Amino acid sequence: MIQFENNIEFARQLDEQDELKNFRDKFYFPTFHEKIVRYFTGNSLGLQPKSVASYIQQELEDWQKYGVEGHFMAKRPWFAYHENLTEKVAKIVGAKPIEVVVTHSLTTNLHLLMVSFYRPQGKRTKILCEAKAFPSDQYALESQIKFYGLNLADHLVEVGPRAGEQLIREEDILSKIEELGDELALVMIGGVNYYTGQLFDMATITKAGHSVGAIVGFDLAHAAGNINLQLHEWGLDFAAWCSYKYLNSSPGGVSGMFVHERHANKPELPRFAGWWGHDKSSRFMMEPGFKPMQGAEGWQLSNAPVLGMAAHLASVEIFDEAGMDRIGKKRDLMTAFLEFVIDEISERNKDRVSFELITPRDKTKRGAQLSIMAKGQGKALFDALSSEGVVADWREPNVIRVAPAPLYNSFEDCYWFGQLLEKAIQ
Ligand SMILES: *Cc1c(COP(=O)(O)O)cnc(C)c1O
C-alpha cells in the first residue's frame, strides 16, 4: 500500500508512473469554464474521444456516396453495424458475445427486458429494488407493476439504508429476498448506486434471488466501463446500461443489453418484437411470423442508429486498447488518492466545514465515484468550486459527486480538486 502525500510533486509522480497516462490525450476537455477545467463528471457524461469525429465522418461520407446502398456497401455495412460492437462490449462487461447486444436506449431496454423477465403470476408478483433508485428506474418499475393492474404499494418492495445510515447493507437485501420467498418475481437493482456510489455484490444477490426462484436483473448505467464486471460468471439473468457515462459514447448514446446464455435459445420467452430481432437469414424476406434471433440480439426492435453507434465504436476501441484490468487498477488507486486528499482537506478545515464521505471506503464496494456530503455549506461550496473550473455534480440536498475517470483523469486533477475545495471552504 502506497503512503499517499497531498502535494503536487507526489501527484505528478503518480501520473508519471501511470500506465494509462497517454490515454488522457485521446479526449477533448471542455473549455467552458474560464480556468482549466477539472472534469469529474464522467459518471454523468463521459468526455468525447478525439477519434469519434472520424468514425462519424466515415458514415456521413458513405451515406453521401451510397445512399441506401450503404446498408451493404458502406465500409462498415449498416445492416450489421451493431455487430462491430458486440465482442468488444462483451469483453467490457465480462459476457459471451451471444449474451450482448447494443441497441435502443437504456430505459427502453429495461422495459423490453422486463416484458420478458417480469411475469407476475399467482403468488409470485413482487419486485425488489433499492430505495432511492435512479428516477427513470423507479418509473419503469412502477409502470411495469401498474401495467399488470397490480397495486404499487404491495408489489414494489424497497430496501433502504437503516436509520442513521447512508448505505444499504447487503445482508438486508439478502434477508428481504429470503423473506419474500415465493412472492418474489424479480430483483432489479442498480449495480452501482448513482447517488452514493455503492457497488453491490451482484453474484451473491443473484444467487440469493435464484434460490427463491426469482429472476435477477441489474441496471449497470454506473457500472459499465467502471467496474470489472463478470456478468456471465455471476449468473445474472439480464442487465442493461447506457454508453454515455463511463463509456464516453455521446449524449443519449446507444445502450447495451445482456441476456444470460441460459435464456439464449428460448424463442418461447414472451417479448416485444421488431424486425431487427427476427432471424437474420430470413429478415429481408419480409414475411409474417416472428422468429427471434438467438441470444440478446433477439430483443432488438429496430435497425441500428448508425451515427450514435459510430461514436460508441470509437470509444470501445479505446477501452479495448486500455483493457478493463488496467482501468480497474488505476480506478482503485486514483479514487483512493482522491479520498486521501479530501480527507486531509476536511481534517484541516474541520472548524469551518464538516464533510462526510458517504461512498464506501472499501474499494471492493465502490467504483470511480466519491459522494461527499457537505454539512452546513452545501450549495455555496459547490458553486465556488464550479467558478474555479471544477466540473462536479450537485445532488440535493447536500451531496457533491466526484468521479475521477481512469481513462482521462490524472492524479494531478485530484490534487487540484483538493486545493480548490480548500479555497472554496475559505
Ligand atoms: C443514467 C441512468 C439512466 C438514464 O436512462 P436513459 O434511458 O439513458 O435516459 C437510467 N437509470 C440509471 C440507473 C442511470 O444511472
Side-chain angles (χ1 to χ4, degrees), residues 105-108 110 134 136-137 194 219 221-222 242 244-245:
S105 52
L106 171 56
T107 308
T108 308
L110 288 175
F134 192 88
S136 199
D137 299 43
Y194 80 100
D219 183 327
H222 282 264
C242 54
Y244 49 82
K245 292 174 179 166

Side-chain angles (χ1 to χ4, degrees), residues 174-224:
L174 300 179
S175 62
K176 189 52 93 174
I177 289 174
E178 188 70 24
E179 179 192 322
L180 293 170
D182 62 2
E183 295 179 2
L184 184 61
L186 173 68
V187 178
M188 236 292 288
I189 292 178
V192 173
N193 183 272
Y194 80 100
Y195 184 73
T196 62
Q198 178 177 12
L199 164 64
F200 292 102
D201 179 344
M202 295 179 229
T204 302
I205 292 172
T206 301
K207 222 164 157 194
H210 288 171
S211 77
V212 301
I215 290 275
V216 182
F218 281 89
D219 183 327
L220 301 177
H222 282 264

Side-chain angles (χ1 to χ4, degrees), residues 307-371:
L307 298 184
M309 289 201 174
H312 195 24
L313 183 58
S315 173
V316 298
E317 294 200 335
I318 296 175
F319 272 84
D320 205 45
E321 191 186 335
M324 280 308 297
D325 284 350
R326 291 199 294 175
I327 291 173
K329 277 191 203 120
K330 178 169 175 189
R331 173 202 62 220
D332 288 344
L333 186 65
M334 195 162 54
T335 309
F337 180 61
L338 181 62
E339 179 182 33
F340 172 83
V341 166
I342 293 170
D343 281 344
E344 204 188 83
I345 301 297
S346 168
E347 176 62 26
R348 238 172 22 213
N349 295 279
K350 64 174 186 279
D351 52 331
R352 292 173 203 259
V353 70
S354 146
F355 287 128
E356 184 189 346
L357 202 63
I358 61 175
T359 305
R361 288 187 177 273
D362 174 354
K363 70 175 170 22
T364 67
K365 295 283 169 206
R366 69 183 185 199
Q369 174 182 322
L370 296 175
S371 301

Side-chain angles (χ1 to χ4, degrees), residues 14-32:
L14 287 176
D15 280 328
E16 200 40 53
Q17 293 161 356
D18 171 15
E19 284 183 51
L20 298 178
K21 64 181 172 220
N22 295 330
F23 281 77
R24 182 175 173 91
D25 195 41
K26 294 182 189 290
F27 293 85
Y28 289 114
F29 281 76
T31 52
F32 67 100

